[in-house]
Amino acid sequence: MADDSRSRRNGVLGSYAAIGDSFTEGVGDPGPDGMYVGWADRLAVLLADQLPVSGATAATVHGDFRYANLAVRGRLLDQIVDEQIPRAKELAPDLVTFCAGGNDIIRPGTDPDDVAERFERAVADLSGAVGTVMVTTGFDTRNVPVLRHLRGKIATYTAHVRAIADRYDCPVLDLWSLKSVQDRRAWDGDRLHLSPEGHTRVALRAAQVLGLDVPADPDQAWPPQPPRGTLEVRRDDIHWAREYLVPWIGRRLRGESSGDHVEAKRPDLLPLKH
């Protein structure tokens, strides 16, 4: 069975490349320089922190760790396979996180069985060229209004991803079981991408899967909030529809993607600046 326990240890990971779509690029988690941060960048810091010090300074330790993020928002599975996997194989890092298929699944008429077959071919190709491939399940969208109706489809794809991980001995970042991201505070205002705190919790969970000691529990309960009134909920729904839903539908009708003219933010394995 694929090892997605909290005690997986594959030795020291000195390099890491992330591939995927907006989730892995970090959309919803803006940084001070205008670029997105996201869970993968945060995981890279946690990985760098685990390198043996051996008397070196923290700056030297982080300089020894190399990280690339090839993910681009809006990418479909076949685009990720064509554009990002060859580069990841060329870089040949110790770890690759591979999260793809979500944008395919939310498109009307797509078949999760077909998407999973293509995902498995990509995992087989990638596994032979890099150290460890971590795969990622879908979120449980029961509390995500814009995606709630796709819960069954996402669950089917998630089951496939776990079975593929079993066959190729991949650690699994199981987002379906991460209950803390079912809170609305884990999500950005667009209700499609994680908030900074949501990305942080995913990074912590990913580190746990790899056997790292983490500074906080990703499933720690959120602080209590006062109940929201019907008027407040309705006002938020109207604002969301105007600001996010209508533009999203417009892009689909025009055949546009949020990732058009966007390039990978970190295409090379570079030392991690901390």
Side-chain angles (χ1 to χ4, degrees), residues 2 38 57 63-64 95 108 119 123 138 155 197 224-225 237 244 255 258 262:
T57 65
D64 290 340
L95 171 69
F119 182 83
V123 170
E197 179 64 20
Q225 280 191 321
D237 287 345
Y244 301 106
S258 59
V262 176

Side-chain angles (χ1 to χ4, degrees), residues 140-154:
D140 184 350
T141 58
R142 76 174 91 180
N143 296 321
V144 184
V146 70
L147 297 177
R148 186 183 297 128
H149 69 290
L150 295 172
R151 189 180 184 219
K153 199 173 176 182
I154 295 169

Side-chain angles (χ1 to χ4, degrees), residues 6-212:
R6 300 189 179 191
S7 61
R8 182 181 181 97
R9 296 192 178 275
N10 289 325
V12 175
L13 296 171
S15 56
Y16 164 39
I19 60 179
D21 52 30
S22 59
F23 169 63
T24 303
E25 184 186 348
V27 174
D29 186 9
D33 59 357
M35 296 184 67
Y36 290 114
V37 182
W39 70 272
D41 288 21
R42 296 176 184 276
L43 173 61
V45 173
L46 293 171
L47 288 167
D49 285 343
Q50 297 296 314
L51 286 179
V53 177
S54 302
T57 65
T60 302
V61 170
H62 290 150
D64 290 340
F65 184 84
R66 295 174 300 137
Y67 168 56
N69 191 315
L70 310 178
V72 177
R73 70 199 75 165
R75 291 299 192 260
L76 299 170
L77 173 59
D78 288 346
Q79 293 174 312
I80 293 169
V81 169
D82 292 341
E83 300 169 7
Q84 298 177 30
I85 285 186
R87 180 57 177 160
K89 290 168 62 179
E90 182 181 357
L91 295 173
D94 297 331
L95 171 69
V96 168
T97 55
F98 182 23
C99 180
N103 287 325
D104 299 73
I105 295 299
I106 66 174
R107 292 199 166 198
T110 52
D111 179 1
D113 298 334
D114 172 67
V115 178
E117 288 178 5
R118 290 184 278 125
F119 182 83
E120 179 163 7
R121 289 196 293 270
V123 170
D125 183 32
L126 194 56
S127 295
V130 305
T132 296
V133 179
M134 175 187 281
V135 297
T136 307
T137 73
F139 291 96
D140 184 350
T141 58
R142 76 174 91 180
N143 296 321
V144 184
V146 70
L147 297 177
R148 186 183 297 128
H149 69 290
L150 295 172
R151 189 180 184 219
K153 199 173 176 182
I154 295 169
T156 299
Y157 185 61
T158 287
H160 279 303
V161 168
R162 292 194 66 92
I164 292 165
D166 289 346
R167 289 193 284 273
Y168 293 91
D169 193 28
C170 299
V172 179
L173 174 54
D174 186 0
L175 301 175
W176 189 278
S177 69
L178 186 59
K179 302 301 183 183
S180 62
V181 296
Q182 294 175 12
D183 190 287
R184 65 183 181 86
R185 286 168 286 182
W187 294 85
D188 188 43
D190 66 4
R191 306 184 184 182
L192 287 171
H193 299 100
L194 293 175
S195 66
E197 179 64 20
H199 277 285
T200 297
R201 289 177 183 248
V202 169
L204 291 168
R205 182 69 184 102
Q208 285 183 328
V209 171
L210 293 169
L212 276 62

